[in-house]
Amino acid sequence: MNEETKKCPSCGEAYDDELLIVCLNCGAELHSNHSCDAPVKYGPFSAYKAMFKRAFDFRGRSSRSEYWFAYLFNALVVIMFSVAMICVDIMAAQALEESGEAAQIYVNIFRVIDYVFTVYAFVLLVPQLSLIVRRLHDSGLNGAFASLVLFGVFGMAVLMIPLARKGTSGPNRYGPPV
């Protein structure tokens, strides 16, 4: 084990990221250099990693920083896929004017990008849902409110309010603050 690798005092999981404040495995506090009232802050990569590590954990709470950094990272990935698909589509349209055979190559590239994006979207379904449920728990709400996502843009607009607001201070029925 690396000299810089430390262990979680609660579960013993090894970690070497000095920026981590909570254990990605059990959620226990790793550093005691912040007050209990201070929210746990995640960075973009640690939030994204935590989203997958806790993909099937619908219990407990998630901080605003954990939710919004994971959301931001996912949004950036979607933008990258979209830009790639638009570029390939433009190249296919230009190739179609010149020769149909070259256009078919771009159409196939577009299909591959679309397939990879679709797989990525399906892989994210459960981790994002569990993150939304834990974020709602932090606001003191039941995770069943996450079903509002089924109502499309309207449901997500309504969900933005509890997802964006500060969580309850102190413990609530879903556990201690994170």
Side-chain angles (χ1 to χ4, degrees):
M1 188 183 310
N2 186 339
E3 286 182 25
E4 294 183 29
T5 302
K6 297 175 179 71
K7 289 190 174 188
C8 171
S10 181
C11 71
E13 178 80 12
Y15 71 95
D16 57 4
D17 187 350
E18 283 296 319
L19 299 176
L20 283 179
I21 295 174
V22 295
C23 176
L24 295 177
N25 188 45
C26 69
E29 183 178 332
L30 297 175
H31 305 288
S32 59
N33 58 355
H34 69 284
S35 72
C36 292
D37 295 333
V40 173
K41 296 194 190 307
Y42 281 85
F45 298 112
S46 61
Y48 193 70
K49 185 177 174 183
M51 178 181 70
F52 282 104
K53 269 206 141 181
R54 297 180 65 194
F56 297 97
D57 181 9
F58 290 84
R59 296 170 290 120
R61 298 164 66 166
S62 286
S63 66
R64 282 189 291 184
S65 62
E66 180 182 358
Y67 177 80
W68 288 108
F69 274 126
Y71 185 90
L72 173 68
F73 196 93
N74 287 329
L76 292 175
V77 171
V78 168
I79 289 169
M80 288 188 319
F81 273 114
S82 300
V83 167
M85 291 172 78
I86 289 168
C87 290
V88 170
D89 193 39
I90 290 170
M91 289 187 282
Q94 290 174 346
L96 189 58
E97 293 174 4
E98 297 169 11
S99 75
E101 189 175 305
Q104 187 59 41
I105 293 171
Y106 288 116
V107 168
N108 290 338
I109 292 171
F110 184 89
R111 286 181 181 155
V112 168
I113 295 171
D114 187 41
Y115 175 76
V116 171
F117 176 69
T118 302
V119 169
Y120 178 77
F122 277 115
V123 165
L124 282 179
L125 282 176
V126 173
Q128 282 189 320
L129 180 62
S130 68
L131 185 57
I132 288 172
V133 167
R134 290 192 311 270
R135 183 72 203 117
L136 289 170
H137 287 173
D138 194 48
S139 297
L141 297 172
N142 190 311
F145 281 99
S147 62
L148 286 171
V149 299
L150 299 174
F151 294 100
V153 175
F154 173 75
M156 282 307 295
V158 171
L159 266 180
M160 285 299 151
I161 297 165
L163 293 175
R165 76 178 181 198
K166 184 178 179 181
T168 56
S169 59
N172 66 17
R173 62 183 171 162
Y174 301 105
V178 289

